[in-house]
Amino acid sequence: MADALRIGIAGVGTVGASLVRIIQQRQDELIATCGRPVEIVAVSARDRNKDRGIDLSGIEWFGGPVDLAQKANIDVFVELMGGAEGAANASVRAALARGLHVVTANKALLAYHGVELAEIAEEKGVLLNFEAAVAGGIPVIKALRESLTGNTVSRVYGIMNGTCNYILTKMEKEGLSFLECLTEAQRLGYAEADPAFDIEGNDTAHKLAILTTLAFGNRIAADDIYLEGITNISIEDIRAAADLGYRIKLLGVAQRTDTGIEQRVHPTMVPLESVIAQVDGVTNAVAIESDVLGELLMVGPGAGGNATASAVLGDIADIAKSRPGAQRVPVLGHPAKALEPYRKAQIQSHEGGYFIRLTVLDRTGVFASIATRMAENRISLESIVQRSTHHLSPSDHQTIILVTYATMEDSVRRAVASIKEEGYLVGEPQVIRIERPKEDG
């Protein structure tokens, strides 16, 4: 039997502890699958005395992750700390420079340093695997990097943040406000004490940036993504969407166009009968559209100790099965030095149209003014509905809901801005994209 694959783990939190437990409990299966034992021989963590519910006796402890990466007698460095900078960045670079294989679940690190780290890994002839960094237990990285070879991908999109999906699902199912659902998500551990990174869309954006590069062969552009979170979604939006036959989801979307690549993260109305509308709770879903295969939709747990540890272990198993000197699959699907500069697409017509909710003063001429502003910006309206808000606000307020046909986003934004200048708007307007099936386009 081949020598054991020696693993060092930096970060023994929820995911790290799950990984240790699985490896220790499934050693026979790993030997059968990988053809060699997989052994954890070294770890580093902030608190050595913390009870993690796992047996770490006989495993060497290091004072910090960089020390572990530089000095431990290991073949694979596993980074499970998180963060784009600091110890995570320094330790991964140290491990790669030493010629160690690296496995990470760190989407922020990859979103901001992935191309440079990929170049180091490819120069050293080692593997940098990161299946767990995007959508937890869903094997979307392997699909894009290996399984779809020969396909030309046109679009990647999906639900990539379980916290947001849980909140939106609970708002719809139980009729609760955003803040009530966020509080419950925090109580259950689905949301952090400071949830901004999730609910403002940053987490989804980091994952989308990585998928975009794998799909289209461009350099990662994490700061060039249109970003809008779910903090402004109200229960009224949820109810109005249902009345119109839609459900609201936070989607990350990347697509190739004639003028470049479009990347966006925002709340989206999807048809109730669509598959992605049925993805509820903390579950994630990623769809890949390509010329040969068509549409591939993968659904599964996007977070949690076991789901993420499963993806990490899959990456470790790939390394265990790899042969020394064998040709490596490029870290980002294409050789890092050959990645093309990111070219941002020009804004284009959105085929699904838009949902616009306006709370206005109940005055004569308001309807006519809104219709005029839309016409001035060449926006055709599929429907315009007046909804009573007497149970929510003073009787001199009305809610007007507009659904547009396909139009340009900048036209919608200009129209809404001009309506705000009229003086009859109460509060901020709500604008949500509508995504319809291709056959409806």
Side-chain angles (χ1 to χ4, degrees), residues 193-404:
D194 179 2
F197 190 72
D198 288 318
I199 63 177
E200 291 176 1
N202 301 93
D203 176 76
T204 299
H206 287 166
K207 296 169 182 175
L208 182 67
I210 297 166
L211 294 183
T212 300
T213 290
L214 286 163
F216 306 126
N218 58 269
R219 296 181 73 84
I220 298 174
D223 290 328
D224 209 350
I225 297 175
Y226 174 81
L227 186 60
E228 184 182 338
I230 65 169
T231 55
N232 293 326
I233 299 297
S234 71
I235 190 61
E236 287 302 296
D237 296 325
I238 298 286
R239 289 169 178 160
D243 290 346
L244 293 166
Y246 295 96
R247 187 165 282 147
I248 299 176
K249 298 291 184 182
L250 182 75
L251 294 188
V253 182
Q255 60 187 14
R256 189 197 304 269
T257 76
D258 292 338
T259 62
I261 296 168
E262 179 181 323
Q263 295 185 99
R264 46 188 168 89
V265 174
H266 52 74
T268 308
M269 287 189 176
V270 294
L272 286 170
E273 68 275 8
S274 64
V275 175
I276 206 157
Q278 312 307 315
V279 178
D280 287 343
V282 295
T283 304
N284 281 197
V286 180
I288 304 169
E289 295 176 359
S290 63
D291 56 348
V292 178
L293 183 62
E295 182 171 7
L296 171 66
L297 177 65
M298 293 176 282
V299 179
N306 285 340
T308 307
S310 174
V312 171
L313 184 54
D315 281 343
I316 293 172
D318 282 346
I319 293 170
K321 290 182 282 188
S322 65
R323 299 187 308 277
Q327 181 68 35
R328 307 293 192 194
V329 176
V331 173
L332 295 168
H334 310 263
K337 290 185 176 179
L339 292 170
E340 298 177 358
Y342 178 76
R343 187 163 60 104
K344 186 176 181 179
Q346 297 175 9
I347 195 164
Q348 60 180 356
S349 176
H350 173 59
E351 294 302 323
Y354 290 82
F355 164 95
I356 304 169
R357 174 177 55 80
L358 308 169
T359 301
V360 301
L361 295 172
D362 192 5
R363 295 178 182 172
T364 302
V366 168
F367 258 56
S369 174
I370 291 172
T372 298
R373 298 294 167 259
M374 293 290 154
E376 287 173 351
N377 288 279
R378 298 183 180 180
I379 298 171
S380 297
L381 296 177
E382 181 178 334
S383 66
I384 179 168
V385 178
Q386 181 174 333
R387 296 169 68 95
S388 173
T389 60
H390 292 179
H391 62 296
L392 297 172
S393 57
S395 59
D396 62 343
H397 293 180
Q398 295 290 330
T399 294
I400 296 175
I401 293 173
L402 313 172
V403 177
T404 80

